[in-house]
Amino acid sequence: MVRFSADRPAVASTRIAMCLLWAIVLSVPAGCGKPPRGGRSAGPAAPKGPTAKQTRVVAHGDLLTPRKPIRFKNQDLAVGYIGSEACAKCHEDQHRSFLETPHSRALEHVRSDDPGDVALRHEVSRRSYEVKLTGADMRHSEQLDEPGPSPEGAAPLRQELEVKYAIGSGNHSRSYLCNLDGFLVESPLTWYASTQSWRMSPGYDRPDHASFQRVVDAGCLFCHAGRVDDEQGRYHPRIHEMSIGCESCHGPGEAHQRYHESTQHPLGTPDDTIVHLGRLTRREAESVCSGCHLRGDAGVTLQGRGLTDFRPGMLIEDHRVDYVRDVADTEMTVVGHVEQMRRSRCYTQTETLTCTSCHDPHFRPRKEDRETYFRNKCVACHTSDDDCGLEKAQRLQQSATDNCMQCHMPTGDTDIPHFAFTHHRIGIHDPEAKQQQEQHPPEVTAALRPIHKVDHLPQVEQDRCQGLAHLEMIGKSRSQVEQDRHTALALQLLTKAHRQGAGDALVEAALARLAWAAEDMVEAAKRARAALAQDPENTDALFVLADCQLLGQQWTEAERLFRQLTTLRRLPDDWLRLGEAVLSQGNAAEAIQLMRKGVEMNPFRPDLYLQFLTAAQLANDLDSARWAVERLERLKRASQREADDK
C-alpha cells in the first residue's frame, strides 16, 4: 500500500464519499492479482545478469580475474564487427548454407507467413487473447473475461499491442516481442510447432502472470540475436544484427576484412585475424556454444567483465559462472545441452567429442535425412554391432531403422510446456528410473553448484559470484523456506566478499537490496549511493535509494530519482511511487495522471487500483476514485465467477 502524510487536509464530504467507496473495495478478493511476495511490494527485481556498464567500473582492480593472452587478433575488444552480409561477399557458399539453419532465423521481423489469426481463452487467468495478422502487420490483444457486459460507458479491460519481432526459427516455437513506450515486452502468446497452435508463453500459464509487463533487456536478447549491446541502458538494447551470424562464432570480422583487402594472403599460412573453430581446443570450441547452450538456474558475470566482452576463442568460465540447484536433474532444460553432453561416457572417454562432432553450424540436414545423418555420426566411432548391448534383431524390434538416438538420446519433455528436445546425455536412459524420480522428486534445498570449475578464480570472486547467484534465486524460490535460505546465504557471502574488497556496483546494489528488504533503510541508502557512484543507471540501486527518500519524506529527491527510474525500466510500481512523491508536494493533478499511467500499464492488478484509490482520496479527486472502484468491482466479479465455476 502507498504511504502518505497523515496530516494532509481533506474535505469532509469527500472523506464520507471515500468511506462509502472503501466499503465496496475492501471486499475484493485478496488473491486476485497479488503483489510480489515480501514485506514491501515491487522491490528491485533479481538481476538477470550484469550489463557492460555495471561491470566495467570496478573499485578494486587487483581483485580481478586476469584475462588470458589472446591467440587471434579479433579477440581484442578494440576490433569491430562488420555484419554477416559483409562476410557473405567472400564466403558465398558458407553463407548460403547458413541461411538454411535455425540460427539464421533466431530473431526476425514479423513475416506475412507467420501463424495467423486466432482467438483463445486462458481459463487460469480469466483472460481472452486474439492474434490478428494483416500482411506482415501482427497485433496481439488481451482482455479480461467479465460475466455479462461491461458497465454502461465503460471501456473493456483490454490491451492491444503491435508486434515488432518474432523470436525463434519456428522449428520448435515462435515467441513475439512488442514495442511499448520505447521498451520491448514479451507477448503472453507463443506459437508451438509441436501442437501447431497458439498457447501461453513459457512462464505465463498461471493466474497472476506478467501480461505484457515482462520487459526484454539486453541480457535476454543476447542469445536470441546475432549482436546486441546495452550502451543505451539495459532495458533499451540496441540490436545490430538479428540473425545469429558469422561473427557470433568466428568473432568480429573487421581485422580479417582489412587484412584481406590490403594484402595477398600467403597460401598455406594460418590466418590469425579471425577465429577458426578447428584451431581451438575442445574447451575453447565448446565455450562458443556454451554462451547460450549452457545456462543454469542463475548466472553471474565476473567482476570487470561486460555483457559483450566474451569473444570466440576465449573460455566462458573466464567471463561467467553458471549455477544450478544441487539436486538430481529430473527434467531436461532447454539450454542444458552442453552439461548433458559432458555427462556422457562418449565425452569423458575421448578427447575429441564435442558439439560440432554432430552439429555443423553451416549445414542442416533435411527432415527426412536427419535420422540417417545422425546415426552415421554414431557409427563413425561405434563401427561394430557389438558396440551396442542389444542384438540387432532386438534393436530392429524397437526401431525399424536401427536408430541409435531412440534409446541413447531420446526425445523428452523439457521444463517448458509443449517443448520436446533430444536429450544430449549419450547413454542408457531408463524410463522406469526417470518415472520413479518424477514421482519422488528430491528435496529442494538452497544449495547451488557451479557448472564449471571455479578454482582458477580468487576466493573473493568465488564468494561474490555465489552470493549474487543466491540473490538471483530469491525470486525463483519454490517455497518461503528456500527463499529465506537463499536470502541468508546471499547476505553472508556478499558481506564477506565486500569486506575483502569486492565493492563493484553489482555487489553494492545487491547489499542495498538486501538491507532494503530487511527494512534497514540507513544501510540500504548507503549501499545504494555507493553503487550509483560507479553506475549511475543501476536500476536496483536507484529504486532502493528513491524509496528510502520517499520513506524519509524527502519528496523532491524521491521524485527526481523515480523520474530517472521510469526512463530506464518499465514497472507500474515505479509510476505509483513517483505519483506519491509528487502528490506529497501538493501537485494533485499531476500525481493522479502519473499514477493512472502506472495503473494502466497492467489493468488486471487490483493492488495497483487500491494504491491509486488511496491517492485519489487524499487528492480529493472523487471522479478518479469512482473510476478505480468501478475497475475493482469488475475484477471482483470476474474472480467470483471463477470461484463459482469451481
Side-chain angles (χ1 to χ4, degrees):
M1 183 60 63
V2 223
R3 306 157 304 281
F4 297 100
S5 299
D7 57 354
R8 186 174 305 283
V11 178
S13 61
T14 302
R15 286 200 178 279
I16 294 171
M18 291 296 176
C19 288
L20 295 175
L21 294 174
W22 270 106
I24 300 172
V25 170
L26 288 176
S27 61
V28 173
C32 183
K34 296 184 292 183
R37 285 186 292 176
R40 305 174 60 75
S41 67
K48 300 177 186 176
T51 68
K53 294 179 181 178
Q54 288 174 316
T55 55
R56 285 180 184 150
V57 183
V58 182
H60 299 275
D62 57 325
L63 298 176
L64 297 182
T65 302
R67 297 182 187 273
K68 290 183 172 56
I70 64 174
R71 294 171 50 205
F72 298 89
K73 287 184 171 63
N74 68 335
Q75 291 175 316
D76 190 317
L77 298 183
V79 177
Y81 291 84
I82 60 175
S84 295
E85 292 301 320
C87 302
K89 293 177 181 177
C90 294
H91 303 279
E92 295 181 18
D93 291 342
Q94 291 91 336
H95 185 257
R96 190 180 303 110
S97 62
F98 158 76
L99 293 177
E100 301 298 321
T101 68
H103 282 160
S104 71
R105 305 186 301 279
L107 181 70
E108 298 180 306
H109 290 295
V110 174
R111 304 190 312 243
S112 59
D113 61 346
D114 264 288
D117 297 1
V118 73
L120 61 92
R121 183 174 189 270
H122 186 228
E123 299 284 346
V124 178
S125 64
R126 307 180 305 280
R127 301 176 208 175
S128 292
Y129 296 88
E130 286 187 343
V131 176
K132 295 181 180 178
L133 181 66
T134 305
D137 177 73
M138 179 181 283
R139 305 188 72 85
H140 288 192
S141 66
E142 175 184 48
Q143 181 171 323
L144 179 71
D145 285 339
E146 301 186 62
S150 301
E152 184 176 355
L157 292 179
R158 175 185 173 86
Q159 300 182 92
E160 182 174 314
L161 278 73
E162 183 179 4
V163 175
K164 185 168 185 179
Y165 295 110
I167 286 184
S169 65
N171 288 336
H172 298 288
S173 69
R174 274 172 86 82
S175 294
Y176 294 87
L177 306 182
C178 306
N179 194 338
L180 188 59
D181 298 335
F183 296 88
L184 287 176
V185 298
E186 183 178 355
S187 168
L189 297 179
T190 288
W191 169 264
Y192 294 94
S194 62
T195 60
Q196 290 290 293
S197 63
W198 291 92
R199 294 286 187 271
M200 301 304 289
S201 297
Y204 280 82
D205 195 10
R206 49 187 293 177
D208 55 347
H209 65 67
S211 182
F212 286 100
Q213 299 305 305
R214 186 183 285 178
V215 178
V216 176
D217 64 12
C220 298
L221 283 177
F222 187 74
C223 287
H224 295 287
R227 189 162 68 91
V228 60
D229 72 44
D230 54 7
E231 295 301 328
Q232 294 180 342
R234 175 176 182 168
Y235 296 101
H236 295 283
R238 293 189 304 179
I239 301 172
H240 298 277
E241 182 169 8
M242 289 193 289
S243 64
I244 299 175
C246 311
E247 293 168 304
S248 299
C249 298
H250 296 284
E254 181 186 50
H256 183 66
Q257 182 187 53
R258 187 169 57 244
Y259 175 70
H260 283 274
E261 287 180 347
S262 62
T263 68
Q264 180 64 39
H265 182 254
L267 294 176
T269 60
D271 179 0
D272 64 354
T273 64
I274 196 79
V275 170
H276 190 297
L277 269 67
R279 293 168 56 195
L280 300 181
T281 67
R282 180 162 76 164
R283 288 176 63 207
E284 290 170 343
E286 287 172 8
S287 289
V288 176
C289 306
S290 296
C292 294
H293 293 276
L294 181 63
R295 291 293 181 106
D297 296 306
V300 181
T301 302
L302 301 188
Q303 190 175 188
R305 308 293 198 260
L307 177 72
T308 59
D309 285 352
F310 173 78
R311 297 288 172 89
M314 298 177 177
L315 294 176
I316 194 69
E317 55 263 37
D318 289 338
H319 290 260
R320 192 183 80 215
V321 182
D322 290 284
Y323 296 86
V324 292
R325 288 183 172 93
D326 195 12
V327 295
D329 181 16
T330 59
E331 60 182 358
M332 183 173 61
T333 56
V334 172
V335 288
H337 297 158
V338 177
E339 187 184 17
Q340 292 170 354
M341 176 188 69
R342 288 175 177 169
R343 295 181 182 182
S344 309
R345 288 180 63 190
C346 288
Y347 183 88
T348 59
Q349 295 185 7
T350 179
E351 297 293 327
T352 57
L353 181 74
T354 188
C355 308
T356 52
S357 299
C358 299
H359 298 285
D360 183 345
H362 291 276
F363 173 74
R364 178 176 175 81
R366 295 180 303 173
K367 184 175 181 179
E368 59 269 25
D369 297 333
R370 286 176 197 166
E371 187 174 304
T372 301
Y373 176 84
F374 287 111
R375 186 180 187 281
N376 288 339
K377 298 290 184 181
C378 299
V379 299
C381 294
H382 301 279
T383 56
S384 170
D385 275 350
D386 295 335
D387 288 344
C388 184
L390 296 179
E391 295 291 337
K392 186 169 185 178
Q394 290 180 277
R395 299 201 304 269
L396 292 175
Q397 285 182 347
Q398 296 186 16
S399 169
T401 56
D402 201 8
N403 181 11
C404 309
M405 294 174 62
Q406 182 167 312
C407 292
H408 299 292
M409 296 181 69
T411 298
D413 295 334
T414 71
D415 53 340
I416 299 177
H418 318 299
F419 267 55
F421 274 80
T422 300
H423 204 295
H424 278 60
R425 181 178 67 79
I426 308 166
I428 299 174
H429 295 256
D430 185 348
E432 293 183 2
K434 182 176 184 295
Q435 184 178 11
Q436 184 71 15
Q437 283 186 329
E438 291 173 347
Q439 292 174 350
H440 304 284
E443 181 181 357
V444 175
T445 70
L448 297 176
R449 63 173 176 83
I451 296 176
H452 289 292
K453 290 183 179 180
V454 295
D455 52 9
H456 67 294
L457 302 177
Q459 185 60 49
V460 62
E461 184 65 72
Q462 294 183 41
D463 292 338
R464 172 189 173 276
C465 289
Q466 187 144 7
L468 290 172
H470 281 293
L471 183 77
E472 184 177 342
M473 293 301 296
I474 292 173
K476 300 177 180 179
S477 298
R478 302 172 184 177
S479 68
Q480 189 62 48
V481 172
E482 184 187 357
Q483 184 185 83
D484 292 343
R485 184 60 177 152
H486 281 304
T487 301
L489 287 170
L491 181 60
Q492 174 188 334
L493 289 164
L494 290 172
T495 300
K496 177 184 175 184
H498 189 270
R499 287 172 180 167
Q500 293 175 350
D504 62 298
L506 279 180
V507 171
E508 296 285 9
L511 290 171
R513 178 188 171 194
L514 291 166
W516 176 88
E519 300 189 2
D520 183 350
M521 298 306 163
V522 174
E523 179 68 11
K526 176 183 176 181
R527 294 301 172 206
R529 287 191 177 95
L532 293 171
Q534 300 180 62
D535 176 13
E537 295 185 352
N538 184 297
T539 53
D540 279 1
L542 271 173
F543 175 88
V544 169
L545 184 58
D547 200 50
C548 288
Q549 298 300 310
L550 197 63
L551 288 168
Q553 299 187 8
Q554 302 299 310
W555 316 123
T556 302
E557 181 63 5
E559 178 189 351
R560 182 187 71 81
L561 293 168
F562 276 118
R563 284 193 187 278
Q564 181 183 359
L565 193 58
T566 58
T567 67
L568 297 174
R569 70 182 192 183
R570 189 180 187 277
L571 283 180
D573 304 85
D574 294 341
W575 289 88
L576 269 293
R577 280 172 163 83
L578 171 59
E580 178 182 342
V582 171
L583 181 60
S584 298
Q585 297 175 73
N587 192 340
E590 183 185 7
I592 293 298
Q593 183 181 10
L594 292 168
M595 298 181 83
R596 182 156 177 165
K597 179 177 177 63
V599 172
E600 290 177 342
M601 284 182 178
N602 190 340
F604 309 108
R605 274 181 56 184
D607 63 299
L608 297 179
Y609 290 107
L610 289 170
Q611 294 180 51
F612 180 83
L613 184 57
T614 302
Q617 176 187 13
L618 294 174
N620 301 319
D621 187 340
L622 191 57
D623 288 340
S624 292
R626 288 196 181 101
W627 174 81
V629 170
E630 178 258 316
R631 292 293 184 100
L632 282 164
E633 285 184 314
R634 292 164 67 181
L635 290 172
K636 176 187 174 183
R637 287 198 301 271
S639 179
Q640 286 177 335
R641 187 183 72 174
E642 179 193 25
D644 293 342
D645 291 343
K646 291 179 179 179

